[in-house]
Amino acid sequence: MAVFSSLAEKLQDTFRKLKNKGKLTESDVSEAMREIRVALLEADVSYKVAKQFINSVKERAVGQEVMESLTPGQHVVKIVHEELTKLMGASQSKIAVSPKPPTIIMLVGLQGSGKTTSGAKLANYFKKQGRRPLLVAGDIYRPAAIKQIQVLGDQLGLPVYSMGDQVSPVEIARRAVEHAQENSNDLVIIDTAGRLHINEELMKELKDIRHTVTPHEILLVVDAMTGQDAVNVAEAFNKELEISGVILTKLDGDTRGGAALSVKSVTGCPIKFVGMGEKLDALEPFYPDRMASRILGMGDVLTLIEKAQTTYDEKKAKEMEEKLRKAEFTLEDFLDQLQQMKKMGSLEDLLGMIPGLSNNKQLKGVQVDEKELTNIEAIIQSMTPRERQHPEIINGSRKQRIATGSGTKVQDVNKLLKQFIQTKKMMKQFGDSALMKKAKKGKKGMFKLPFFGQ
Amino acid sequence: MGLFDKLTKLKEGLTKTRQGFVEKVSTILTVHKKIDEELFEELEETLIQADVGVNTSLKLVEKLREEVKARKLKDASELQDVMKAEISAILSKGNTDLNIERGKQNVIMVVGVNGAGKTTTIGKLAHRFKKRRYSVLLAAGDTFRAAAIDQLVVWGERVGVDVIRHQEGSDPGAVAFDACKAATTRNEDILIIDTAGRLHNKANLMEELRKVGRIVRREMADANIEILLVLDATTGQNAISQARIFGEVVDVTGISLAKLDGTAKGGVIIGICDELNIPVKLIGIGEGIEDLKDFIPEEFVNALFEQEE
């Protein structure tokens, strides 16, 4: 859907007309907030939660200085993103482990949210940490649910406790905990049947299980694709059972996952894990900032900005500027630039983070040749310091040596040298002119890399 | 079950949606009395909260505005009927009957994301066809999820129909092929094929589904083919993305909306009908084996707008 990745672009349009303003007025911000509200609603964030959120963000955004390096649109998105991240809480994938084993975890949720699979993933996660989990087949209602958990247990090489489908889940849970104590399982994961939050009878059953075995964690399993009803579901389960955390499943789909925000803000419970695939190791910790980007439906522009800010340190940038001005730019400096770039991640990742580029059709399928960069790096590294400072001394036999040393061909070395000389010439021409002024203005920004696009 | 009971059941199943949506609408209309901007905004809010979706909600409210202008409506209470009519119009697009004919071979292939309720829907469908004296054969095409085959087999036993199955992990295309052959030789009226749940953005899995679909269409060239997409009614706006992509891959001919009884947000059905050209054909309004109903727009809207006496 076109609307999806274009929030940043929309805001850009909204703000284009106020380009020269240093401050955002209240009405500017209100206009932006309308767009953001629609974005949140389209991401299935609950209406009430979205409304509250917008109100709290609005205050922060009004009157803020617009940073020079950012356009106002991006600035507002940045504020929204920060607040959203804050609201979703810190990354918290820890499970409260009881000092007196076994630790008991109970999984609850609607039908089809992914409880059984999540239970198996959780067991696998703890098995890898050296624990001895016991899976408990507490879903006696759905056909073959017991068989499902048994198959999963087999795949993981973990024990599954079952008493068939004729014994009440409360009794099964009680006996399972005893069984765990006898067999030194230090973790008990109780699967339960999916149920509607409005089904009183089945909710009572869950409460009975809770009273009987007092679990250390009650995790609500929520489908990331859930719509506006997520609030009611979370509220109902939390009211009846006092859940301690949430597992958000099926996040490997293309949903924007606004349910995450709704659930978090209604229950106050942390989202502890997210399900990212069908394999049994596809359970990951929850990252609020990633989730925020996803809900807002934008490329990871903030990560990009932050990455550029933190990795490209200012001192080096100043030195570089000086060198460029005096046209003393050497191959060594170039290598430096290259390595700075690499710190920011793979080129393809970087391209993906640039809004408008991430879904640019022309760029789709374009493979950035990382290998070429590696080659350039290797060639420069195969030079002596003197050669890097004074490339003009590189003659035929030196070229041969450099090529052999870097595992490339003499032609590659020639190509690099030629490009370097051209760039240097170009810089000389510019001298103190346009390029330098531009470079000065964007203090923290990146320099244009001379060898790109050739 | 008589017609009266049927309607009662439908009303019961839609209780949540009615309370969460329609009653809210009537409250707004009673409280406001006058038709003004504030009223429209509140209606828009209610629609969005019912998962109708931003686009469709805006469109609906825009329609209301037009009607108010055109018919010079003044009293807010008159809006209820206008709204009912508009929703009715959206829901009544396309043929909502299942593509099943007596005396002909029929295939229903059931697709959807994980946990939507495919297998349960199949169980209930098999039961209903069996009761109507069709001969039914099931195919356990979900060879991926642990015990999915067993789940279908349990349904088969419950309903009293045979299940064609292979081992877990085998090729779902082969299961479909065998099932088609078996259905033809045994001259079964209706073959229902289960498939593994898959998220629609998984290209490989969608290709696999495309292949199964191709096999079914090739092997059953003369049969009526219904490709039924099962959507979870609690799903939000992602339902539209699901319908679109599944539609592209296997040419979905109808939607079955499961778990509609559990959500106060049955509005997603309106968004789906509005944004896509795939008719909703079935709705699941309860956990009982009888609780899968034909979707009849008129009946649905009436049940939805029916006030508590």
Side-chain angles (χ1 to χ4, degrees):
Chain A
M1 234 172 269
V3 229
F4 275 15
S5 38
S6 64
L7 174 66
E9 280 162 38
K10 263 193 201 164
L11 288 179
Q12 230 54 67
D13 283 343
T14 316
F15 285 120
R16 196 153 289 150
K17 42 190 178 231
L18 0 139
K19 221 175 190 174
N20 298 323
K21 279 190 195 171
K23 272 185 179 174
L24 295 176
T25 68
E26 188 160 350
S27 71
D28 301 338
V29 173
S30 296
E31 205 170 321
M33 289 304 149
R34 260 197 295 279
E35 297 287 354
I36 290 167
R37 196 189 73 138
V38 172
L40 293 177
L41 291 175
E42 274 170 354
D44 289 323
V45 174
S46 131
Y47 192 90
K48 271 191 199 138
V49 175
K51 211 167 169 185
Q52 276 166 14
F53 175 75
I54 292 291
N55 284 340
S56 71
V57 172
K58 209 167 154 186
E59 279 171 35
R60 234 195 99 186
V62 177
Q64 282 258 359
E65 286 289 328
V66 179
M67 283 161 69
E68 242 183 73
S69 55
L70 291 168
T71 53
Q74 279 171 342
H75 186 60
V76 172
V77 176
K78 192 175 154 112
I79 294 174
V80 172
H81 187 273
E82 275 171 16
E83 291 290 321
L84 211 54
T85 309
K86 217 159 73 185
L87 205 74
M88 275 186 292
S91 167
Q92 213 181 7
S93 53
K94 283 213 180 78
I95 291 284
V97 175
S98 158
K100 190 173 152 270
T103 301
I104 302 167
I105 301 174
M106 178 171 155
L107 298 173
V108 300
L110 300 181
Q111 295 99 330
S113 55
K115 285 173 298 305
T116 310
T117 308
S118 296
K121 286 179 179 177
L122 212 51
N124 186 31
Y125 177 86
F126 283 109
K127 184 190 162 202
K128 281 188 185 154
Q129 293 186 355
R131 298 199 174 270
R132 294 166 42 81
L134 175 71
L135 283 163
V136 183
D139 180 359
I140 58 168
Y141 305 102
R142 190 180 49 138
I146 296 173
K147 183 79 193 291
Q148 184 185 357
I149 200 168
Q150 278 167 344
V151 171
L152 292 170
D154 277 351
Q155 282 173 14
L156 294 170
L158 289 173
V160 174
Y161 188 82
S162 164
M163 295 171 74
D165 58 5
Q166 298 303 316
V167 182
S168 96
V170 183
E171 182 63 12
I172 295 175
R174 194 179 63 75
R175 297 274 287 273
V177 173
E178 284 172 12
H179 178 90
Q181 280 159 346
E182 284 156 19
N183 293 277
S184 58
N185 293 109
D186 53 4
L187 192 75
V188 179
I189 299 173
I190 305 173
D191 185 24
T192 63
R195 63 203 74 214
L196 295 173
H197 50 292
I198 47 169
N199 188 326
E200 283 169 28
E201 196 182 324
L202 283 173
M203 285 304 258
K204 185 174 176 299
E205 182 187 283
L206 287 182
K207 275 199 266 187
D208 289 345
I209 298 179
R210 192 187 74 160
H211 285 307
T212 314
V213 299
T214 20
H216 303 92
E217 291 267 6
I218 300 179
L219 300 178
L220 176 65
V221 181
V222 180
D223 184 334
M225 297 182 283
T226 314
Q228 296 283 327
D229 213 31
V231 186
N232 300 335
V233 174
E235 217 160 33
F237 274 98
N238 194 36
K239 194 174 137 238
E240 300 286 339
L241 298 162
E242 290 168 44
I243 60 169
S244 62
V246 174
I247 298 180
L248 202 62
T249 61
K250 306 179 208 172
L251 207 57
D252 49 328
D254 65 354
T255 174
R256 299 236 316 260
L261 186 64
S262 310
V263 169
K264 170 71 215 229
S265 73
V266 166
T267 63
C269 292
I271 296 169
K272 300 206 170 187
F273 292 98
V274 294
M276 291 299 292
E278 302 197 356
K279 299 221 173 73
L280 290 178
D281 55 3
L283 188 73
E284 294 179 6
F286 173 70
Y287 297 107
D289 52 337
R290 284 192 204 165
M291 198 64 221
S293 300
R294 184 173 184 147
I295 290 175
L296 289 173
M298 57 192 195
D300 230 343
V301 61
L302 304 142
T303 323
L304 177 68
I305 294 166
E306 269 152 32
K307 268 192 170 165
Q309 280 175 354
T310 50
T311 35
Y312 210 96
D313 68 78
E314 227 167 319
K315 217 178 110 207
K316 279 225 167 121
K318 269 225 171 92
E319 279 173 23
M320 189 74 75
E321 192 186 321
E322 196 71 15
K323 277 185 179 161
L324 281 171
R325 188 174 302 144
K326 293 183 188 156
E328 279 170 3
F329 188 69
T330 65
L331 276 167
E332 206 144 54
D333 301 322
F334 180 51
L335 183 64
D336 227 46
Q337 274 199 349
L338 216 58
Q339 277 158 352
Q340 295 264 11
M341 278 280 301
K342 273 187 131 180
K343 264 199 259 172
M344 289 169 57
S346 86
L347 263 183
E348 244 165 304
D349 281 356
L350 288 180
L351 284 180
M353 287 180 197
I354 302 172
L357 272 188
S358 51
N359 50 357
N360 186 324
K361 272 197 192 123
Q362 285 169 319
L363 260 172
K364 221 163 225 172
V366 170
Q367 296 253 324
V368 181
D369 201 348
E370 301 264 339
K371 223 172 142 194
E372 197 159 334
L373 286 184
T374 321
N375 279 348
I376 293 176
E377 216 182 329
I379 292 173
I380 301 177
Q381 274 168 341
S382 300
M383 297 176 183
T384 65
R386 206 175 126 73
E387 283 167 349
R388 291 182 210 176
Q389 300 282 340
H390 305 281
E392 62 277 3
I393 66 165
I394 301 175
N395 57 21
S397 72
R398 281 178 193 263
K399 279 179 194 163
Q400 186 61 54
R401 194 204 76 242
I402 292 166
T404 318
S406 58
T408 55
K409 293 192 209 116
V410 176
Q411 288 98 302
D412 296 325
V413 181
N414 275 333
K415 201 169 136 203
L416 172 67
L417 288 174
K418 207 172 145 197
Q419 283 178 352
F420 179 71
I421 290 164
Q422 270 176 1
T423 315
K424 220 174 154 183
K425 246 190 220 159
M426 217 167 64
M427 283 182 174
K428 232 178 206 158
Q429 277 171 7
F430 275 114
D432 268 321
S433 67
L435 180 76
M436 287 301 104
K437 274 180 199 150
K438 221 178 185 177
K440 258 196 216 160
K441 212 174 175 187
K443 263 181 264 164
K444 290 179 180 175
M446 283 181 294
F447 290 96
K448 275 228 165 80
L449 285 169
F451 294 94
F452 275 137
Q454 297 224 358
Chain B
M1 213 188 270
L3 182 68
F4 181 72
D5 290 341
K6 245 171 71 187
L7 287 178
T8 317
K9 179 67 205 176
L10 183 63
K11 265 169 69 182
E12 245 175 61
L14 292 175
T15 307
K16 291 275 297 176
T17 298
R18 190 167 53 240
Q19 285 167 353
F21 172 48
V22 179
E23 283 175 20
K24 247 191 205 156
V25 170
S26 358
T27 316
I28 293 172
L29 296 177
T30 346
V31 169
H32 272 274
K33 293 203 174 80
K34 227 177 69 197
I35 298 178
D36 53 13
E37 226 9 70
E38 203 183 324
L39 170 77
F40 286 125
E41 248 166 59
E42 275 186 49
L43 284 177
E44 186 188 309
E45 183 180 320
T46 312
L47 287 167
I48 291 175
Q49 281 186 318
D51 275 333
V52 173
V54 178
N55 281 343
T56 307
S57 299
L58 293 181
K59 225 157 84 185
L60 258 172
V61 171
E62 201 42 51
K63 269 271 168 73
L64 286 184
R65 279 205 183 95
E66 280 168 23
E67 283 293 309
V68 166
K69 244 193 188 159
R71 288 164 48 184
K72 297 204 170 58
L73 298 179
K74 292 243 166 54
D75 195 4
S77 60
E78 290 171 282
L79 277 182
Q80 174 121 349
D81 286 335
V82 181
M83 188 117 147
K84 192 171 158 184
E86 290 301 334
I87 291 176
S88 225
I90 292 178
L91 293 178
S92 307
K93 283 197 301 196
N95 180 12
T96 60
D97 292 332
L98 276 176
N99 197 6
I100 298 290
E101 248 178 285
R102 231 177 250 283
K104 218 182 151 185
Q105 270 209 311
N106 303 284
V107 185
I108 302 175
M109 177 162 129
V110 180
V111 301
V113 298
N114 318 60
K118 287 175 294 302
T119 310
T120 309
T121 301
I122 292 174
K124 292 177 180 173
L125 264 181
H127 169 77
R128 125 203 302 233
F129 289 133
K130 189 84 199 299
K131 246 178 70 178
R132 294 183 192 170
R133 312 250 158 104
Y134 286 97
S135 65
V136 181
L137 184 67
L138 302 182
D142 182 355
T143 56
F144 178 79
R145 205 202 69 201
I149 298 172
D150 298 82
Q151 190 180 346
L152 195 69
V153 168
V154 172
W155 272 110
E157 282 162 8
R158 216 180 259 182
V159 177
V161 301
D162 288 340
V163 180
I164 301 290
R165 59 171 150 160
H166 286 193
Q167 298 247 303
E168 212 167 287
S170 59
D171 175 16
V175 180
F177 181 85
D178 281 359
C180 290
K181 286 280 176 235
T184 311
T185 9
R186 296 164 53 156
N187 205 14
E188 306 275 6
D189 299 328
I190 300 173
L191 167 66
I192 309 178
I193 302 172
D194 192 12
T195 62
R198 64 200 75 217
L199 291 174
H200 47 291
N201 60 342
K202 301 283 170 73
N204 295 345
L205 294 177
M206 292 310 277
E207 278 313 307
E208 178 193 86
L209 192 65
R210 195 195 295 273
K211 180 182 150 196
V212 177
R214 214 165 41 221
I215 290 170
V216 171
R217 285 216 159 79
R218 189 186 63 212
E219 294 307 314
M220 304 293 267
D222 297 328
N224 287 317
I225 293 177
E226 176 85 49
I227 312 274
L228 205 57
L229 171 67
V230 179
L231 293 176
D232 182 335
T234 46
T235 304
Q237 298 312 298
N238 195 249
I240 292 173
S241 172
Q242 289 172 27
R244 180 168 295 134
I245 299 176
F246 272 102
E248 279 165 18
V249 172
V250 283
D251 207 355
V252 172
T253 55
I255 287 171
S256 175
L257 200 61
K259 310 178 207 174
L260 195 58
D261 53 325
T263 173
K265 318 295 181 187
V268 72
I269 198 171
I270 302 170
I272 289 168
C273 286
D274 185 47
E275 298 216 11
L276 300 164
N277 278 322
I278 307 171
V280 175
K281 296 192 170 176
L282 297 165
I283 48 177
I285 49 167
E287 300 198 60
I289 197 163
E290 304 270 356
D291 292 338
L292 185 71
K293 303 289 179 203
D294 286 323
F295 175 68
I296 301 162
E298 217 172 287
E299 230 176 78
F300 181 84
V301 175
N302 282 337
L304 201 59
F305 278 89
E306 186 93 11
Q307 297 290 318
E308 297 295 327
E309 300 299 324

